[in-house]
């Protein structure tokens, strides 16, 4: 190989015209790749971006493999890790963009912005003397200017309603926590509810804190909501499941061509004996499916919802010095009964793979459990009650809940897609925040008494009509309004309190959640 490389280098150095030809024979694929890169670098007619060329080559190789072997550049890796590792460094505000201006929705409790006196409703217009309002700056660029290393300063100029001129604030950036538990509360007497957004580095700690809180409030049974949870760290899922199983119970195992089998087994430190319902849907994937599969195979809990995504592949991160990373599939994971729940795929055909959810909808699977068919070869049995379960394509719930296509009208989907709902919420909370805070001292008062004003709904319909978005007829409008009003109330609750209150409101319209409650109340 060294001789071939030396020969190649000599030829490259000797080349003085575009007609120079490179003819090197080698049987090593790696040598062939290295020579191709060197040839392009030194002989190609124009200058090339070597970094992009290398990244494209890596992506090209991975695209011929399974759908979950991927390459991420340093920027993408950083963004991906923030949600999983539980923190990022910044000023500590939740914001949204309204009419090309950043509006603070919430400040992180005891965070950098709250400490200096920034409040919800403030508009950040200058960051280090650079205008970010009225200049059509992208959300990504704004976040880049606000975030930075812990301990660094950022100078902000803020517009506050009722105060003339710009208010100056100096904020010292700090670690800002990112929580993976979206909500935890007593959804019914004796029934606790915990929604997990993803499985990250802090998930287990957050989950146990939520469990302790709910137990103190009288929890006997538990709903674990994994709807739309795309997964995360395997170990976070394993640690959580360990709290519900007896010593020696299998949680999951992994095995690959060059990766020996590894068993994950409960260690006997179980802390909860109550009944459990796990909620899933078509976007519950990876670590969510490990969790649901373990509860189902061990007959430890009931799975409610719709068939999960079907990701049963284990990726190993391979880090590069520049911060970029390959996530390479090295094994399959298997549920306690031996099921591999990875759905079928064709190597190199990601388009077909990602369109699987659409195909399920077209085939009627989302609305009718009888449309789901499994081959007998995929049949397995649970470990205690010997119930039939299936592998080869996600976790099929014990209780199927169809998608309510009547509730999610075309008119509502158009309102959402064109941001009419979120924009109306931003305007309303911006204009009425103080009034609402004065009237509703607690979320319980708000939840019991607040009704979305008709003027807010009329405003949405009026602005949508100006955008040529209209209901097909009065019937579609009537079908849209109840869900729309619940969504608006939940968004207002979120902006006055937090995501916990959002789900408190919104879950009362979620058919999968309601089915979970029904099963535990029987």
């Amino acid at each position: 190989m060294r001789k071939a490389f030396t020969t190649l280098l000599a030829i490259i150095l000797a080349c003085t015209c575009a007609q120079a030809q490179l003819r090197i024979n080698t049987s090593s694929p790696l040598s062939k790749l290295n020579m191709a890169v060197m040839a392009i670098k030194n002989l190609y007619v124009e200058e090339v971006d070597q970094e992009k060329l290398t990244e494209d080559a890596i992506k090209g190789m991975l695209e011929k493999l399974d759908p979950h072997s991927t390459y991420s550049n340093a920027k993408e890796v950083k963004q991906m890790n923030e949600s999983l590792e539980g923190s990022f460094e910044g000023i500590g505000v939740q914001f949204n963009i309204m009419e090309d201006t950043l509006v603070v929705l919430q400040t992180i409790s005891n965070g950098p912005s709250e400490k200096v006196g920034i409040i919800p409703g403030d508009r950040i217009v200058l960051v280090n003397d650079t205008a970010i309002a009225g200049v059509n700056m992208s959300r990504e660029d704004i976040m880049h200017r606000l975030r930075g290393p812990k301990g660094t300063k950022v100078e902000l100029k803020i517009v506050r309603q009722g105060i003339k001129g710009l208010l100056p604030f100096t904020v010292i950036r700090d670690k800002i926590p990112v929580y993976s538990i979206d909500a935890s509360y007593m959804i019914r007497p004796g029934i606790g509810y915990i929604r997990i957004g993803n499985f990250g580095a802090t998930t287990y700690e957050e989950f146990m804190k939520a469990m302790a809180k709910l137990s103190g409030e009288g929890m006997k049974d538990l709903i674990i909501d994994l709807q739309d949870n795309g997964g995360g760290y395997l170990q976070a899922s394993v640690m959580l499941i360990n709290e519900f199983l007896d010593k020696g119970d299998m949680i999951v195992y992994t095995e690959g061509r060059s990766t020996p089998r590894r068993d994950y087994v409960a260690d006997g430190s179980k802390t909860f004996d109550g009944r459990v319902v796990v909620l899933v849907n078509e976007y519950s994937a990876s670590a969510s499916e490990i969790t649901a599969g373990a509860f189902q195979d061990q007959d430890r809990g009931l799975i409610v919802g719709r068939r999960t995504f079907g990701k049963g592949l284990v990726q190993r991160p391979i880090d590069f010095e520049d911060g970029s990373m390959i996530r390479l599939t090295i094994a399959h994971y298997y549920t306690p009964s031996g099921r591999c729940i990875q759905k079928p795929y064709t190597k190199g055909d990601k388009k077909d793979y990602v369109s699987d959810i659409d195909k399920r909808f077209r085939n009627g699977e989302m609305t009718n459990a009888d449309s789901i068919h499994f081959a007998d070869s995929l049949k397995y049995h649970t470990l205690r009650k010997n119930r039939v379960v299936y592998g080869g394509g996600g976790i099929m719930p014990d209780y199927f809940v169809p998608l309510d296509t009547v509730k999610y009208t075309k008119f509502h989907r158009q309102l959402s897609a064109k941001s009419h709902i979120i924009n109306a919420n931003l305007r309303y909370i911006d204009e009425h925040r103080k009034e609402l805070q004065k009237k509703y001292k607690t979320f319980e008062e708000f939840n019991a008494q607040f009704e979305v004003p008709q003027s807010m709904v009329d405003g949405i319909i009026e602005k949508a009509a100006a955008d040529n978005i209209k209901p097909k007829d009065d019937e579609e409008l009537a079908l849209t309004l109840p869900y729309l009003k619940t969504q608006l109330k939940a968004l207002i609750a979120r902006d006055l309190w937090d995501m916990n209150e959002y789900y408190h409101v919104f879950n009362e319209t979620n058919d999968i959640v309601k089915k979970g409650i029904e099963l535990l109340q029987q």
Side-chain angles (χ1 to χ4, degrees), residues 260-277:
R261 171 167 168 162
R262 180 177 179 184
D263 293 353
Y264 296 83
V265 178
D267 64 11
S269 59
K270 181 170 76 170
T271 58
F272 189 75
D273 287 311
R275 294 177 299 165
V276 179
V277 166

Side-chain angles (χ1 to χ4, degrees), residues 3 286 302 403-404 443 472 511:
K3 182 178 179 181
S286 190
L302 296 174
L403 181 68
D404 187 347
F443 167 72
K472 181 178 63 176
D511 293 332

Side-chain angles (χ1 to χ4, degrees), residues 85 157 186 193 261 293 304:
E85 293 180 359
K157 295 291 196 312
M186 293 298 293
Y193 169 91
R261 171 167 168 162
V304 176

Side-chain angles (χ1 to χ4, degrees), residues 285-355:
S286 190
S288 293
E289 296 174 290
I290 292 173
T291 305
F295 273 102
Q296 189 175 54
D297 282 5
Q298 294 290 357
D299 290 299
R300 180 61 184 89
L302 296 174
I303 312 302
V304 176
R306 292 184 289 276
R307 181 163 67 100
T308 60
F309 183 85
K311 181 185 180 295
L313 300 175
V314 181
Q315 283 75 50
R316 173 177 291 170
I318 300 171
D319 300 311
F320 296 108
E321 290 185 0
D322 65 352
S324 61
M325 178 180 72
I326 286 176
R327 287 173 54 81
L328 186 67
T329 297
I330 61 166
H332 290 86
Y333 64 71
Y334 299 85
T335 68
S337 67
R339 288 185 286 169
C340 177
I341 58 174
Q342 175 60 44
K343 62 186 177 184
Y345 62 87
T346 301
K347 288 184 178 179
D349 191 354
K350 285 191 177 181
K351 184 177 180 181
D352 180 69
Y353 187 77
V354 299
S355 66

Side-chain angles (χ1 to χ4, degrees), residues 419-483:
S419 300
H420 286 292
I421 298 173
I422 190 66
N423 288 339
N425 169 71
L426 287 171
R427 287 191 297 269
Y428 182 81
I429 200 73
D430 191 52
E431 295 170 5
H432 300 279
R433 183 186 295 272
K434 289 183 179 179
E435 170 193 333
L436 292 169
Q437 288 175 332
K438 184 177 180 180
K439 185 174 182 179
Y440 303 108
K441 300 299 183 182
T442 66
F443 167 72
E444 288 71 25
E445 291 178 348
F446 171 88
N447 196 33
Q449 301 171 21
F450 178 80
E451 292 185 7
V452 173
Q454 187 61 41
S455 59
M456 187 179 185
V457 175
D458 293 341
I460 292 174
I461 295 172
E462 182 180 335
K463 286 186 176 295
D467 203 14
N468 203 30
I469 297 173
K470 300 176 182 179
K472 181 178 63 176
D473 49 34
D474 290 343
E475 182 182 0
E476 185 180 29
L477 177 61
L479 290 171
T480 302
L481 290 180
Y483 186 74

Side-chain angles (χ1 to χ4, degrees), residues 334-407:
Y334 299 85
T335 68
S337 67
R339 288 185 286 169
C340 177
I341 58 174
Q342 175 60 44
K343 62 186 177 184
Y345 62 87
T346 301
K347 288 184 178 179
D349 191 354
K350 285 191 177 181
K351 184 177 180 181
D352 180 69
Y353 187 77
V354 299
S355 66
D356 174 62
I357 302 297
D358 290 333
K359 285 191 287 186
R360 294 187 198 184
F361 184 83
R362 292 195 302 270
N363 294 339
E365 177 181 328
M366 300 292 201
T367 55
N368 192 340
D370 292 338
S371 299
I372 308 168
H373 304 287
F374 294 100
D376 286 342
S377 60
L378 300 174
K379 185 182 295 185
Y380 293 80
H381 293 85
T382 62
L383 302 182
R384 286 172 170 75
K385 297 182 180 180
N386 204 38
R387 296 181 299 119
V388 173
V389 290
Y390 290 92
I395 297 292
M396 185 64 190
D398 301 306
Y399 290 87
F400 176 79
V401 180
L403 181 68
D404 187 347
T405 55
V406 174
K407 182 189 301 182

